[in-house]
Every structure is written in structure tokens, then in C-alpha cells.
């Protein structure tokens, strides 16, 4: 099966590094023009250069945008439509880990997690869906985590906002399916990205990074954590024509870690 995103324009949030960058690369290699959003322009510029080198003629552009600022998101979206003419694929990926035991949970932290992971995703979809409906083709992928379906102790607020992401995905899939706009969620397990550099420094700075990653991977069903490219492959399939009968699902991309389907 050949997976092609030819003539499609994809917008990916949180795309300057990690899973977002891996998706941007895979989408570009598969034929899409790619729009990257993140806050730091210099990191975006480096990422765009790297991605554009993958396919001659590819249109790749990064726009500095803090997705929590909805007015900024709206204005950047307007520029994207002007520069690219349309948006066919949206990947809501920007996020970070936020953990706290319930008794210590500060309400501002809870709110901040929704402000980063739920509201921008909803707003970006509201902006992109009218064009997708008009063209009768669209793909929306909401990146959440496995805690959305199987929350663990100490993982509020992230599990709560991620569960909202799954509910949002289902509602969107029902509302947009009649217009051939398909909406799915991807539940991340433990996958290598820049986030892990931070975990290493925080949890085990005395170990080498390689030993730390091997240690974290050992108890996993596959005996390792995932690679960003493995995640990007699943996203690329969902973004393509080949996934034309898949909507309203939340797929674990976790090497079998989650206790639930
Ligand atoms: N990797 C894992 O093991 C794992 C596990 C569970 C869930 N996830 C989720 O998967 C997604 C990708 O994770 P990752 O590991 O690739 O993370 P990462 O390496 O930390 O990358 C995060 C990306 O998001 C951007 N970003 C962060 N805050 C933003 C904001 N307010 N506005 C716009 N862009 C923002 C960052 O760029 P700037 O800093 O320049 O803005 C960066 O491009 C996240 O939602 C994360 O929570 C990952």
C-alpha cells in the first residue's frame, strides 16, 4: 500500500521538535506541504530547513505561535490560508507533561493544562473545518496520551485534559463525518523526544542518557520506549486517503504499555 499525502496541506502544532517534527518530516516525504507551529522561531527555522531538504519542491514553513493565545492562533491561521491557500490536515500536538497528586493540585495548574491542550485544539479545528467541509475532505488528529483512557495516580491534571481530548475527538468525528472530515486521536505512551532530555536531568542525572532510556524501556512490553518515527507512521496513515473509513477512534501508540485497548 502506498500512503500518499500529495496535494495536501498539513498544519501541525508543536512541530519544531519531537513527535511533531517527526510527523512533519513523514508528511512531507509522503507529498504534503507542511506548516509548523511552535513558539521559538529559530528552532522552527532549523526544522523547516531539515524538512524541506527531504523532498525537492516541498513547501514548508514555520510560524511562531503560542497556541494558548487564541487571538494569535487566529491571526496566524489567516496568514497560513493566505500563504498556502487551504488546510486539509490538522494535527493538534502541542503539549507538555503536567503531573500532581490531587491533594496538592493547584486550580491554576488544572486550568493551564486545559488552556494548552484543549482550547487551542478546539479553536484550530473551528478555523479549519469550514474549508474542509467545502472541499469535502479533511483529517484531524488529536494527540493525547494513554492516561486519557487509563489514568494513573498522580497524573492529574494531564489525564483529565487528555480525557477531554478524547471526548472532543468523538464529538468532532460525529459532527464532521457527513462532510468526509475524519477525526481521530493518538494516545502516546513513552516515545523518545526532547521531553526525555528533561526527564533524564530531573530523575537520574547521575546516569548516562542512553542508560536512562534503556532503564525506562526495560519494563515495557517491547522492552524499550518508542521512536518518534514509529509514531509518525501511524499519524501519516490516519492523515491519508488510505484511512478513509477510520474515524472517531483513539489509538494507543505505546508498544502495548496501556492496560486497556
Ligand atoms: N514523548 C512522550 O513520551 C509523550 C508522552 C505522552 C504525551 N506526549 C504528548 O505528545 C505531544 C508531543 O510531545 P513531544 O514529546 O514531542 O514534546 P516536546 O519534544 O517537548 O515538543 C513539544 C513541542 O510543542 C511546542 N510547544 C510547547 N508549548 C507550546 C505552545 N504553548 N504553543 C505552541 N507550541 C508549543 C514546542 O516548541 P516551543 O517550545 O518552541 O513552543 C515543541 O515543538 C505533546 O502533546 C506531549 O504532551 C508525549
Amino acid at each position: 500500500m502506498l500512503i500518499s499525502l500529495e496535494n495536501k496541506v498539513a498544519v501541525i502544532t508543536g512541530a519544531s521538535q519531537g513527535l511533531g517534527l517527526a510527523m512533519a518530516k513523514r508528511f512531507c516525504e509522503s507529498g504534503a506541504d507542511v506548516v509548523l507551529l511552535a513558539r521559538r522561531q529559530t528552532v522552527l527555522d532549523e526544522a523547516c530547513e531539515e524538512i524541506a531538504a527531504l523532498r525537492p519542491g516541498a513547501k514548508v514553513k514555520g510560524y511562531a505561535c503560542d497556541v494558548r493565545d487564541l487571538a494569535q492562533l487566529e491571526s496566524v491561521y489567516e496568514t497560513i490560508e493566505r500563504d498556502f491557500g487551504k488546510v486539509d490536515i490538522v494535527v493538534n500536538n502541542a503539549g507538555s507533561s503536567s503531573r500532581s497528586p490531587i491533594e496538592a493540585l493547584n486550580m491554576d495548574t488544572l486550568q493551564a493544562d486545559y488552556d494548552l491542550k484543549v482550547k487551542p485544539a478546539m479553536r484550530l479545528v473551528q478555523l479549519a473545518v469550514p474549508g474542509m467541509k467545502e472541499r469535502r475532505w479533511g483529517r484531524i488528529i488529536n494527540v493525547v496520551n494513554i492516561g486519557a483512557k487509563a489514568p494513573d495516580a498522580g497524573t492529574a491534571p494531564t489525564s483529565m485534559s487528555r480525557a477531554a481530548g478524547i471526548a472532543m475527538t468523538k464529538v468532532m468525528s460525529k459532527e464532521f463525518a457527513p462532510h468526509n472530515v475524519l477525526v481521530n486521536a493518538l494516545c502516546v505512551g513513552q516515545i523518545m523526544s526532547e521531553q526525555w532530555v528533561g526527564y533524564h536531568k530531573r530523575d537520574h542525572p547521575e546516569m548516562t542518557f542512553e542508560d536512562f532510556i534503556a532503564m525506562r524501556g526495560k519494563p515495557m512490553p517491547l522492552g524499550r520506549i518508542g521512536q518518534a518515527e514509529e509514531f509518525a507512521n501511524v499519524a501519516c496513515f490516519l492523515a491519508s486517503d488510505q484511512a478513509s473509513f477510520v474515524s472517531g477512534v483513539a489509538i494507543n501508540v505505546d508498544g502495548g504499555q496501556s492496560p486497556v485497548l
Side-chain angles (χ1 to χ4, degrees):
M1 177 175 66
L2 180 71
I3 292 178
S4 169
L5 302 185
E6 252 176 62
N7 302 318
K8 303 297 185 203
V9 176
V11 175
I12 305 173
T13 69
S16 59
Q17 62 183 40
L19 310 190
L21 176 59
M23 287 188 278
K25 284 181 176 171
R26 187 63 86 240
F27 285 17
C28 177
E29 283 171 334
S30 303
D33 287 334
V34 189
V35 177
L36 288 73
L37 302 188
R39 289 166 299 180
R40 292 165 295 163
Q41 188 68 54
T42 47
V43 188
L44 279 169
D45 291 344
E46 281 167 28
C48 286
E49 207 174 307
E50 215 182 307
I51 298 164
L54 295 171
R55 184 170 58 84
K59 190 169 171 184
V60 182
K61 215 164 163 186
Y63 299 82
C65 175
D66 185 334
V67 295
R68 295 170 298 184
D69 180 342
L70 300 184
Q72 193 186 10
L73 183 62
E74 285 160 15
S75 144
V76 165
Y77 188 83
E78 228 174 80
T79 312
I80 294 168
E81 277 212 321
R82 212 171 33 244
D83 292 350
F84 284 77
K86 61 170 187 166
V87 171
D88 302 298
I89 300 161
V90 166
V91 184
N92 288 304
N93 169 71
S96 62
S97 175
S98 177
R99 301 169 66 98
S100 167
I102 298 285
E103 286 170 289
L105 179 58
N106 178 317
M107 292 306 128
D108 293 340
T109 308
L110 192 60
Q111 184 61 51
D113 216 55
Y114 277 80
D115 290 346
L116 172 61
K117 297 169 184 167
V118 182
K119 282 161 79 176
M122 179 61 87
R123 189 69 196 114
L124 185 54
V125 167
Q126 285 178 330
L127 293 167
V129 153
M132 293 176 177
K133 283 167 73 172
E134 217 173 278
R135 292 183 296 279
R136 286 201 56 78
W137 200 100
R139 297 285 188 270
I140 295 162
I141 299 170
N142 296 318
V143 176
V144 297
N145 72 2
I146 55 173
K149 291 192 275 186
D152 219 339
T155 65
T158 226
S159 294
M160 293 166 67
S161 64
R162 293 317 197 176
I166 287 196
M168 181 173 73
T169 299
K170 198 64 174 172
V171 176
M172 287 175 174
S173 74
K174 297 275 188 196
E175 291 191 12
F176 305 149
H179 306 279
N180 196 35
V181 175
L182 312 184
V183 190
N184 295 291
L186 288 177
C187 306
V188 189
Q190 303 202 14
I191 300 185
M192 177 65 96
S193 73
E194 279 73 0
Q195 269 194 34
W196 284 79
V197 177
Y199 300 154
H200 169 233
K201 280 196 190 124
R202 184 194 65 193
D203 299 339
H204 285 287
E206 77 287 358
M207 298 173 88
T208 66
F209 184 63
E210 290 68 27
D211 286 349
F212 171 70
I213 293 299
M215 180 199 62
R216 290 292 296 265
K218 211 167 173 199
M220 295 293 120
L222 288 176
R224 62 177 179 87
I225 71 167
Q227 294 300 318
E229 295 71 25
E230 295 176 297
F231 180 82
N233 289 340
V234 186
C236 191
F237 167 68
L238 286 180
S240 73
D241 264 329
Q242 284 65 32
S244 52
F245 205 56
V246 184
S247 195
V249 296
I251 302 173
N252 298 338
V253 186
D254 68 341
Q257 182 191 351
S258 175
V260 299
L261 295 172

